[in-house]
Amino acid sequence: MQKTILVVDDSPSVRRMVSMTLKGAGFAVVEADDGRAALAAAERSLPDIIITDQNMPNLDGIGFIKAFRALPQSAGVPVIFLSTETEDAIKAQARAVGAIGWMTKPFNDEKLLSVVKRVAG
């Protein structure tokens, strides 16, 4: 069965690059341009995996994960950060609210797919 990945980033070009990489590997992709839109998308149809940026308008990545993890159906859905942020304190906050991994931008397609495939099982 095809896994669905929710890609959350305020940059259309980053969303497009991540989506093309994932679709090319056989994943279904849903896109959101900020945490608020991502939360609405996840409530409509629960994704198998979430890849989110940190710095976004309306609701940042950590705020999104906090809100998402408050939903009972979020249990077991892995969340991976893909961000330009590299500070250990922010990474620790992300882990504390439920992220399982962190990748930095710019990203390498092969590494992204490797991480996603490992997480997808």
Side-chain angles (χ1 to χ4, degrees):
M1 188 164 125
Q2 188 179 42
K3 301 267 185 179
T4 301
I5 302 175
L6 174 57
V7 176
V8 189
D9 200 301
D10 59 324
S11 167
S13 61
V14 171
R15 283 196 317 271
R16 189 169 32 254
M17 288 187 310
V18 172
S19 294
M20 285 175 40
T21 299
L22 296 171
K23 287 176 183 176
F27 294 98
V29 176
V30 175
E31 296 181 20
D33 61 2
D34 65 31
R36 192 173 295 156
L39 189 59
E43 288 176 320
R44 279 192 305 276
S45 179
L46 191 66
D48 296 294
I49 300 169
I50 297 172
I51 298 173
T52 185
D53 187 18
Q54 166 55 17
N55 299 314
M56 300 178 289
N58 300 318
L59 186 61
D60 68 11
I62 290 172
F64 161 67
I65 293 176
K66 282 182 187 176
F68 177 68
R69 290 294 185 216
L71 303 174
Q73 65 268 33
S74 74
V77 176
V79 179
I80 302 164
F81 263 88
L82 178 63
S83 180
T84 57
E85 294 288 342
T86 59
E87 292 180 30
D88 289 338
I90 293 176
K91 291 178 184 181
Q93 282 182 313
R95 279 190 294 277
V97 297
I100 65 160
W102 193 284
M103 294 182 63
T104 55
K105 294 179 197 172
F107 68 94
N108 172 298
D109 290 355
E110 292 171 7
K111 182 170 179 171
L112 177 66
L113 286 176
S114 173
V115 169
V116 168
K117 287 177 180 178
R118 189 170 53 239
V119 169

